[in-house]
Amino acid sequence: MNAMNDLSAEALRIRITQHLTYTLGKDKPHASLYDWRMAVSYSVRDLIIEPWFAATRKTYEAQGKRVYYLSLEFLIGRILGDAMMNLGLFETVQDVLEGEGVSLADVIEDEPDAALGNGGLGRLAACFLESMSTLACPAYGYGIRYEHGLFRQLFESGRQVEHPEDWLNQPHPWEFERPEARYTISFKGHLDGQSVWQPSETVYARAYDMPVVGWQGKWANTLRLWGAHPTELFDLEQFNSGDHTAAAAPEALARTLSRVLYPEDTTDSGKELRLKQEYFLTSAALQDILRRFLSEYDDFAQLPDKVAIQMNDTHPALAGPELIRLLMDEHGLDWNAAKRIALGCLNYTNHTLLPEALETWSTWLMGRVLPRHMQIIEQIDQEHRAATKCAADLAIVKHDQVHMGTLAFVMASHVNGVSALHTDLMKETVFSGLHGLYPARVLNQTNGVTPRRWLRLSNPALSKVLTDTIGAGWESDLARLSELNTFEDDRAVRDAIGAAKRHNKLALSNWASDRLGITLNPDAVFDVQIKRMHEYKRQLLNVFETIHRWSAIRSNPEAGWTPRVKIFGGKAAPGYFAAKEIIRLINDVANVVNNDPVVGDLLKVVYPANYNVSMAERLIPATDLSEQISTAGKEASGTGNMKFTMNGALTIGTLDGANVEIREQVGAENFFLFGMTAAEVRDRYLIEGHARTAILDSPTLQDVLQMIVEGRFSPEDTDRYNGLVDATWNHDPFLVASDFDSYLAVQAEVDLAFADEDHWNRLALRNIAGSGYFSSDRTIKGYMADIWDTRSLL
Ligand code: HBZ
């Protein structure tokens, strides 16, 4: 069934021992956990090389189109377990390590998360890479090899503090450095004559390749990450004369470019270094793409038939001007040809409509850092305005700002949103003008997630139930999960689904008691909200409900409550004050609730620090209730929502993003819907004092806010949340107050439904059965057919 299954445990044991001995220079009695992890990783990696080479050979032979996915973020997570699972090696490795007295779980846990992303956008890119390999779609991911990924979150007295992340502190066994794949990236300087760029700063982009293996090891693509290196060598003369700092300056300057990931998510940070990072990635990727193209072809007119470039949001939107520049200034094409070819290759995915996330750069900064690109952008803009006779509002450059969304839109063949609702809203709101000018350009590709990592790897208990029930093969054909529906009335199947969930909840409880010293009641509803901390995602609504529940239990502990465990996870951007206040409030509430003997086991609040991909893999399989409660119209899609559904959690959610499609797929009666629609939200904003009105209409919410201002959760500092409560009364930008009562009512329905265990298992079954649509394989097939025009090579 699978190329790697033939490998015997003995053969693998020999390979691992050889790496331990000859790569790591350790003998078994002295090998540490790290040594074992490295030896196992190298041994598994070796087995990817053959399919990787074979895929490259087939791609060259087919002479077809290649896909290039440009993204400032790839939130990959741990690699070893995923590679073992895709190669079908899990049991074999386990056997070998058991024989050596080493725990596979410990080995897997020893690997740091590759956190080269912030949240949804970066994790989507990682799921897409895996699906492109599974589908044998010839593709490269291009990104930056950040030395420090997303910061490590700690809580000090309930407050978030950020610590640097250091994943490259240890050798990274999955990458291959390619010193020969190196490009010069230029900045600043001036234009000679009309438009000959004389840059004053240069760095090298050096390639580091990671193989990305798909399901059953049939295909592997490459994730190529760029590291920045100095072009000027170390100044020995200065060093010898004693100025050690000045001697190292060029090196320091270059390396800052790939030093850290910007921790902002759905916000625009507007820093010069960020612009340089965006250009660094884009230019290196495009130079590499053109070099590869020229190694096989000689006529650039063919480029759009051989190359599809996907811009993951606007961060690589300099691809338009940069491709024009390379074709003109480096390869001698004229303007019209260069622009036509660039447009033919480029596509743009939008991930958010939030105004604060739409990137702009001042013409002053753009002109200083990239003078030639500023000139090209002006010309693209002039032609765009002349050809469409558009209103001034739709220009790329306006009020001395370059609008990257408009630039990306104008320079793309296809522009897509990430859920049906989001794409509709793009057309109706932020991009309505541009959509009117280019009506065939916008299309939808609803997001998906890889079922290999998010079900098979992270939830072996449920995976076994699925295979036992509907047979093997659902991992690469997730629509088959709908076959579960025919087992809805089979009590044994419902019980098995319930038992798998309980198994995962117990595992999570053990982890929570080891790591957080808190005991969780496995009979409680495990109610989970994990995602970036942002006001629009409304963690605040969830805390308010928690406070109400605590108070209601206290006033009548014998009322037959369904026990709850509220779990939160997520990081706030370091400068996002409002989000950080919500973090602190959650921790303060947890402190009071968890130490209240009156509520005891009926309510617990857990907020483990440093939520990341590995923690998601632990939490999602153990979740009963998935919180997807953003203000309608604000969450472009969501992808966590899909992972939960696949793992048999029920959703409490608004009609936002992909929740709409999840509800359609699983059936409205199996989904806890509440809150205003996007259209109602739009109307509500027009009502002056909407928050005050809603609060005055809700005695429960008044009580909750009162408890907070009285300092019930911050007795040592009773004024701590005055600002937050005041903002809720007077601003409430995401309509927490207006949706509060509706949310409470549906939470009560959840309690009732959960009390009937067998009924709940039936609802879980229907959710799993309806989740097949949300495989990223389906999404990638959509991109291949509608945007890239590429075919699978298997
Ligand atoms: O992209 C997320 C959306 O919020 C989420 O709904 C969606 O599921 C996911 C994948 O499509 N967006 C992001 O993670 N980040 C951004 O949209 C973003 C935009 C501009 C920035 C930084 C981040 O400057």
Side-chain angles (χ1 to χ4, degrees), residues 73 118-125 264-269 274 278 312-315 349-354 356-359 418 422 447 532 536-537 634-642 657:
E73 303 191 7
N118 276 291
L121 168 153
R123 184 52 233 176
L124 186 77
E264 271 74 35
D265 180 77
T266 49
T267 48
D268 176 15
S269 64
R274 170 72 178 194
E278 293 182 352
N312 198 23
D313 217 282
T314 57
H315 315 145
T349 305
N350 172 276
H351 293 272
T352 178
L353 301 173
L354 296 183
E356 64 268 34
L358 299 177
E359 272 190 308
V418 291
H422 169 235
N447 283 165
R532 282 300 286 252
Y536 84 83
K537 295 176 187 282
K634 303 293 180 196
E635 187 72 88
S637 161
T639 45
N641 48 2
M642 301 169 183

Side-chain angles (χ1 to χ4, degrees), residues 464-735:
K464 181 170 185 316
V465 175
L466 295 177
T467 303
D468 290 349
T469 310
I470 64 169
W474 48 268
E475 293 94 336
S476 55
D477 184 8
L478 206 68
R480 281 198 45 216
L481 291 184
S482 67
E483 293 168 26
L484 266 187
N485 281 323
T486 55
F487 295 90
E488 184 187 315
D489 293 323
D490 185 333
R491 174 80 198 222
V493 172
R494 295 199 306 272
D495 283 352
I497 287 172
K501 183 64 75 184
R502 192 171 178 88
H503 170 89
N504 296 332
K505 288 169 76 173
L506 288 169
L508 181 64
S509 303
N510 288 334
W511 177 82
S513 103
D514 288 354
R515 250 209 44 179
L516 312 168
I518 185 162
T519 310
L520 305 183
N521 173 8
D523 293 322
V525 180
F526 280 25
D527 167 340
V528 180
Q529 187 172 22
I530 43 175
K531 46 185 83 242
R532 282 300 286 252
M533 298 299 298
H534 202 298
E535 289 163 281
Y536 84 83
K537 295 176 187 282
R538 298 200 296 192
Q539 283 93 355
L540 194 57
L541 180 57
N542 193 347
V543 203
F544 285 174
E545 195 267 344
T546 307
I547 292 172
H548 162 70
R549 182 176 289 268
W550 168 71
S551 151
I553 295 173
R554 277 175 70 81
S555 47
N556 190 2
E558 308 300 328
W561 293 94
T562 305
R564 281 271 176 142
V565 175
K566 289 262 185 185
I567 302 174
F568 293 85
K571 299 177 184 178
Y576 190 169
F577 179 79
K580 288 183 141 178
E581 246 192 329
I582 297 169
I583 290 179
R584 194 176 191 189
L585 177 61
I586 298 171
N587 282 321
D588 278 346
V589 169
N591 206 7
V592 170
V593 169
N594 297 345
N595 293 305
D596 185 342
V598 180
V599 297
D601 246 9
L602 296 178
L603 183 62
K604 286 279 180 271
V605 180
V606 192
Y607 192 167
N610 203 39
Y611 171 67
N612 58 9
V613 171
S614 322
M615 197 189 293
E617 290 169 13
R618 196 184 290 285
L619 294 176
I620 292 170
T623 298
D624 296 305
L625 187 68
S626 152
E627 298 268 357
Q628 308 300 335
I629 60 177
S630 50
T631 317
K634 303 293 180 196
E635 187 72 88
S637 161
T639 45
N641 48 2
M642 301 169 183
K643 295 164 195 167
F644 281 113
T645 305
M646 262 173 215
N647 282 276
L650 274 66
T651 304
I652 182 165
T654 49
L655 282 180
D656 200 14
N659 294 353
V660 177
E661 290 155 87
I662 291 177
R663 180 164 168 271
E664 277 163 21
Q665 294 287 331
V666 306
E669 68 285 11
N670 308 303
F671 186 107
F672 296 101
L673 178 70
F674 77 97
M676 290 176 285
T677 63
E680 288 164 351
V681 164
R682 230 178 298 168
D683 293 344
R684 185 85 194 163
Y685 279 127
L686 302 176
I687 301 177
E688 189 156 320
H690 54 77
R692 180 163 294 272
T693 311
I695 297 169
L696 292 175
D697 279 350
S698 171
T700 338
L701 183 52
Q702 283 170 40
D703 289 348
V704 167
L705 294 172
Q706 188 59 27
M707 284 186 266
I708 299 172
V709 276
E710 279 174 4
R712 296 284 288 275
F713 309 101
S714 53
E716 68 289 4
D717 175 11
T718 50
D719 292 338
R720 183 173 295 162
Y721 297 108
N722 288 356
L724 184 147
V725 172
D726 178 73
T728 304
W729 276 93
N730 296 306
H731 304 288
D732 193 17
F734 296 100
L735 306 180

Side-chain angles (χ1 to χ4, degrees), residues 186-192 194-201 275-276 279 318 321-322 325 329 362-379 402:
S186 307
F187 302 98
K188 301 194 173 172
H190 64 279
L191 298 179
D192 264 358
Q194 279 289 306
S195 50
V196 181
W197 184 18
Q198 303 292 352
S200 61
E201 251 183 62
L275 179 63
K276 285 179 151 187
Y279 180 62
L318 284 165
E322 173 66 357
R325 184 192 72 86
D329 299 359
S362 76
T363 52
W364 174 81
L365 181 64
M366 185 71 83
R368 205 167 55 88
V369 176
L370 298 166
R372 175 69 174 129
H373 298 77
M374 190 61 239
Q375 188 182 42
I376 292 172
I377 291 167
E378 299 272 13
Q379 183 153 358
V402 181

Side-chain angles (χ1 to χ4, degrees), residues 315-343:
H315 315 145
L318 284 165
E322 173 66 357
L323 187 47
I324 293 175
R325 184 192 72 86
L326 289 169
L327 291 173
M328 290 181 72
D329 299 359
E330 306 285 326
H331 298 283
L333 273 68
D334 66 31
W335 169 266
N336 288 328
K339 189 178 153 200
R340 186 170 4 93
I341 292 167
L343 186 64

